[in-house]
Amino acid sequence: MERWVIVNPAAGRGKVGRLSGSILKAAREKGAKAFLTEGPGHATEIARGAPEGARVVAVGGDGTVHEVLRGLAGTEKVLGVVPIGSGNDFARMLGLRRLPWNEALDLALFAQEEAIDLCWVNGEPFGASLGIGFDALVAKKALTAPSFLRGMPRYLYALFGVLKALRLPEGRVVVEGEEVHRGPLLLVAVMNGPAYGGGIPIAPMADPRDGLLSMILARSFTRPGVVFILPRLLLGKHLSHPQVVAFAGREVVVEFAHPVPGHADGELLPEASLYRARVEPLGLRVVGGRAGQKGERPLLSPVGAG
């Protein structure tokens, strides 16, 4: 098996760049081919060039993982992760987040592989999260946040920046062919893992090995309403709110009258008025822990109040 290591020097607000020499050297000493990306999209290009069955390791954050995932989705290549990014929600989903980079590299190169669900939206693969509406605006705002802010502080900075101009679009949500919502929508989160935004537990029940998407709908909210629910969201206790409802299913369609922003794994998507997401059960081979396993859940099972 060939082992390829893709290092994004821009990840972690430049932290990976400062470590890149050591990481490249360590990877090559372990028998891997090691590459340094040169700009957006380069990680995808490198990953596509890896031979079938190769183990391809992304060194960086969720953005780097997403780029590498785009280059190997639908193949027999194996994804490994060395999490040195701002959020690391994909790595958190796999139980990898708190490992030192040298231990994470050993694990990514040599540990046993497993399979998790692979998700798609409008033909784009994603590993941990899809956000539509308010949280996509937050992801966009986060790109302009001060460089010293990382993880959850960066998310909160962006959230309060977007809140100033809050306007809810009218939307329609269809899960497994059944309409579950029509009306104002603050956001729709379609999750493979439990967290996004650097650890925000938006879908505590999500399991990347159950063959289902976990969907969180935040319906009609005022600005004060968003502020008041935030502490509950940070504690993962928001699902009891009357304007929050959750569903599980294999596919979901979200429609709006006008284009609304969306993001996949924190990476902005082209704005669209229609988002069609689906899950490919156990369609992605990865290296990681088995944290967060849960039992099966019935399709279309409401979790929040209706």
Side-chain angles (χ1 to χ4, degrees):
M1 175 198 298
E2 287 199 24
R3 293 173 170 84
W4 288 30
V5 176
I6 302 174
V7 181
N8 177 9
R13 307 300 161 198
K15 181 178 180 180
V16 176
R18 295 188 292 273
L19 294 170
S20 60
S22 298
I23 296 171
L24 292 169
K25 180 182 178 182
R28 289 165 180 156
E29 287 176 347
K30 297 174 190 298
K33 294 183 178 180
F35 305 84
L36 197 67
T37 63
E38 298 175 357
H42 193 202
T44 300
E45 180 183 337
I46 296 170
R48 284 178 178 152
E52 198 70 14
R55 184 167 292 198
V56 183
V57 178
V59 182
D62 288 324
T64 308
V65 172
H66 184 76
E67 279 206 15
V68 172
L69 178 60
R70 291 179 65 192
L72 53 78
T75 74
E76 291 300 312
K77 302 171 191 179
V78 181
L79 174 63
V81 181
V82 177
I84 317 176
S86 300
N88 301 316
D89 289 311
F90 185 88
R92 181 182 286 104
M93 181 178 75
L94 296 182
L96 298 174
R97 188 174 184 281
R98 298 190 180 278
L99 292 177
W101 73 261
N102 51 344
E103 292 183 24
L105 180 61
D106 275 339
L107 185 69
L109 289 173
F110 301 113
Q112 184 176 354
E113 67 187 61
E114 58 174 302
I116 65 170
D117 299 336
L118 174 63
C119 305
W120 299 83
V121 57
N122 295 354
E124 174 92 0
F126 65 95
S129 64
L130 165 67
I132 304 167
F134 183 76
D135 58 346
L137 288 170
V138 172
K140 184 175 182 179
K141 180 68 174 178
L143 296 175
T144 64
S147 60
F148 62 85
L149 291 177
R150 301 182 183 181
M152 196 174 298
R154 190 176 188 84
Y155 178 87
L156 295 176
Y157 167 90
L159 184 147
F160 284 104
V162 171
L163 196 58
K164 297 176 184 178
L166 180 65
R167 301 184 73 175
L168 301 188
E170 297 283 323
R172 175 174 178 261
V173 181
V174 178
V175 180
E176 296 281 340
E178 178 182 334
E179 182 177 284
V180 299
H181 175 79
R182 184 188 291 264
L185 270 175
L186 177 70
L187 63 86
V188 179
V190 181
M191 304 296 294
N192 196 27
Y196 67 5
I200 305 293
I202 185 74
M205 77 296 288
D207 178 358
R209 302 170 186 87
D210 65 359
L212 300 173
L213 300 166
S214 293
M215 290 156 276
I216 308 298
L217 280 60
R219 299 180 294 192
S220 183
F221 274 84
T222 63
R223 291 186 186 91
V226 174
V227 173
F228 290 141
I229 198 176
L230 188 57
R232 292 169 64 175
L233 173 61
L234 297 178
L235 293 171
K237 299 184 180 298
H238 54 291
L239 296 177
S240 61
H241 191 285
Q243 289 300 324
V244 177
V245 64
F247 295 92
R250 292 180 294 266
E251 63 180 11
V252 59
V253 176
V254 185
E255 295 180 89
F256 299 95
H258 304 286
V260 170
H263 74 81
D265 296 326
E267 298 297 295
L268 292 175
L269 299 168
E271 292 193 10
S273 55
L274 176 67
Y275 290 89
R276 188 182 302 274
R278 64 179 177 86
V279 64
E280 182 181 336
L282 303 181
L284 179 63
R285 297 166 67 194
V286 298
V287 182
R290 293 186 63 80
Q293 288 196 93
K294 296 177 175 63
E296 293 184 356
R297 289 174 285 117
L299 299 180
L300 292 177
S301 54
V303 178

